[in-house]
Amino acid sequence: QVQLVESGGGLVQAGGSLRLSCVASGSIFSINGMGWYRQAPGKQRELVAFISVGDSTNYADSVKGRFAISRDNAKNTVYLQMNSLRSEDTAVYYCNGDIVTTSYRHFTIWGQGTLVTVSS
């Protein structure tokens, strides 16, 4: 059993910062790419940021220069540092990981989501 658990969401004023964390736990052999997605009310889920196993990153145009994704492989954790937050960043943020278990099974796992609310 493998799971991802996000934390760090909350209410913040426009212009503020938040740091999201996502910890993978369970029978993990390795973790490949990991990403952060978000879903605002009435909208489809969208990719926010992605980091590969080799630490290559890419970002949605709407967050470039404001958000930064990073990972700590020793802790099976991925982070999303969000700066200069805007009201349009309000959404539920989900962590996603491409995980190989100790039984060498390959899964794409989603976390349960953490709510980020940016007040203007």
Side-chain angles (χ1 to χ4, degrees):
Q1 186 80 6
V2 177
Q3 62 177 355
L4 298 177
V5 178
E6 302 100 333
S7 62
L11 175 63
V12 63
Q13 287 190 333
S17 298
L18 281 175
R19 189 193 196 204
L20 305 183
S21 300
C22 172
V23 181
S25 63
S27 302
I28 298 169
F29 175 74
S30 65
I31 303 177
N32 298 319
M34 299 190 79
W36 286 97
Y37 292 72
R38 67 186 180 188
Q39 187 165 18
K43 294 188 177 181
Q44 289 189 329
R45 190 174 297 189
E46 63 174 356
L47 175 66
V48 175
F50 175 84
I51 185 165
S52 73
V53 65
D55 288 344
S56 296
T57 59
N58 60 62
Y59 298 91
D61 288 343
S62 59
V63 307
K64 282 180 181 176
R66 300 188 298 123
F67 290 12
I69 189 171
S70 61
R71 63 192 290 171
D72 184 334
N73 293 326
K75 296 181 179 179
N76 288 338
T77 300
V78 64
Y79 305 97
L80 185 68
Q81 178 66 42
M82 305 186 295
N83 300 324
S84 302
L85 282 161
R86 306 167 180 168
S87 56
E88 54 263 39
D89 295 318
T90 294
V92 178
Y93 284 71
Y94 297 91
C95 175
N96 167 282
D98 180 15
I99 295 173
V100 179
T101 68
T102 52
S103 57
Y104 303 108
R105 298 183 69 187
H106 201 165
F107 294 97
T108 297
I109 306 293
W110 290 91
Q112 82 289 350
T114 186
L115 177 62
V116 172
T117 303
V118 184
S119 63
S120 56

